[in-house]
Amino acid sequence: MHFQDALAEDIRNCAARLLAEDIGPVDITAQLIPEKHQARARVISREPAVLCGVAWVDELFRRLDPRVALTWHAADGDRLPPDQPFLELEGPARSLLTGERAALNLLQTLSATATRTRHYVDLLEGTGVKLLDTRKTLPGLRVAQKYAVSCGGGTNHRIGLYDAFLIKENHISACGGIAAAVKEARSIAKDLTVEVEVETFDELEQALAAGADVIMLDNFSLAEMREAVSRVAGRAIVEASGNVDDSTLKAIAETGVDCISSGALTKDVKAIDLSMRMMPNG
């Protein structure tokens, strides 16, 4: 499935799932409010952030109550200053309150991914090295978090197990070696990227000899990365992985690798602190 098609489907399914898990049969607390009462609300971020999740929130309120009008003052990928409204909502008070938590949960998680990604991309500025995500995403949010990474300026690695080969230690063992694994991958799908994860220079040489498109250096030291880049000499894309954080990112980039992948972009994010505040009408 093409990523844009998967994204459109994910937006629909995710919005429906979030509403179902939160509302259940009925929002009993919202029934405290008169059914015809209208209200306005605005959403702010209490900390600097990069926005992500606009389409999901639009779809969520469309499903919940199409009478709710949403006015966005920022778009996905925009930097949000703290304490300034970036979304205003107007409509039935019951619907605003019923959709509040589902909308904020989604926004704070995807914006956290986009914010972490933008932070890393900023650290890499000027190096020419691409920042890649991984499959270490939060359950049920694979496509959404991959989109959030792109909003933060990062680059998507493979989306799942279907759109590229990533041959790791267990694959190599089961196939009887790197050469055999790469050969089998080429026979299965000639047009897909074949990447091999290596842990030693011997495995690196095997991957090069087998014709791998991408070589992932798993937990190599900085000195070993520089040596690996020298040995590859442009014959494959070199990806660094492991021990990536604020203190190591720039140094890894300066070894000459082409890209750096980090699971922290998606699996270790801390939700952005968002708040929805009801406003007086009139």
Side-chain angles (χ1 to χ4, degrees), residues 167-265:
I167 300 170
K168 298 191 168 203
E169 179 182 6
N170 288 335
H171 301 104
I172 294 168
S173 177
C175 289
I178 290 175
V182 173
K183 181 178 179 181
E184 184 64 18
R186 297 296 188 198
S187 71
I188 292 171
K190 295 179 180 179
D191 296 332
L192 294 184
T193 299
V194 177
E195 179 169 0
V196 178
E197 180 183 72
V198 302
E199 298 178 349
T200 66
F201 286 117
D202 180 58
E203 290 180 346
L204 171 65
E205 296 296 343
Q206 292 180 50
L208 284 172
D213 300 307
V214 183
I215 296 175
M216 179 192 293
L217 309 178
D218 182 36
N219 289 305
F220 275 42
S221 70
L222 294 177
E224 289 171 335
M225 288 182 199
R226 285 189 286 270
E227 173 65 19
V229 169
S230 177
R231 292 194 186 197
V232 172
R235 289 177 287 169
I237 294 171
V238 180
E239 174 186 336
S241 180
N243 299 315
V244 177
D245 59 30
D246 285 20
S247 65
T248 62
L249 188 66
K250 188 71 175 290
I252 293 173
E254 290 171 346
T255 65
V257 297
D258 299 294
C259 47
I260 301 172
S261 58
S262 173
L265 302 179

Side-chain angles (χ1 to χ4, degrees), residues 6 16 72 104 117 145 152 179 187 217-218 249 256 264 267:
W72 294 91
L104 293 186
T117 302
Q145 282 197 293
S187 71
L217 309 178
D218 182 36
L249 188 66
K267 71 181 180 69

Side-chain angles (χ1 to χ4, degrees), residues 15 36 42 45-46 86 88 103 110 142 173 180 183 187 207 209-210 217 225 239 249 269-270 274:
K36 294 184 178 180
R42 62 183 185 182
S45 175
R46 297 183 184 275
F86 64 88
E88 295 184 4
L110 296 190
R142 169 66 55 78
S173 177
K183 181 178 179 181
S187 71
L217 309 178
M225 288 182 199
E239 174 186 336
L249 188 66
V269 293
K270 178 180 180 296
L274 302 179

Side-chain angles (χ1 to χ4, degrees), residues 29-94:
T29 311
Q31 292 184 339
L32 300 173
I33 302 166
E35 184 176 2
K36 294 184 178 180
H37 185 65
Q38 298 290 303
R40 298 165 59 225
R42 62 183 185 182
V43 180
I44 65 168
S45 175
R46 297 183 184 275
E47 58 185 314
V50 174
L51 178 63
C52 183
V54 169
W56 282 265
V57 174
D58 284 344
E59 175 67 12
L60 186 148
F61 278 102
R62 185 192 70 79
R63 287 175 175 269
L64 176 63
D65 188 342
R67 294 173 296 175
V68 174
L70 287 80
T71 302
W72 294 91
H73 300 296
D76 283 344
D78 286 352
R79 296 182 189 264
L80 300 177
D83 300 322
Q84 290 191 22
F86 64 88
L87 169 61
E88 295 184 4
L89 306 94
E90 184 170 3
R94 285 187 179 186

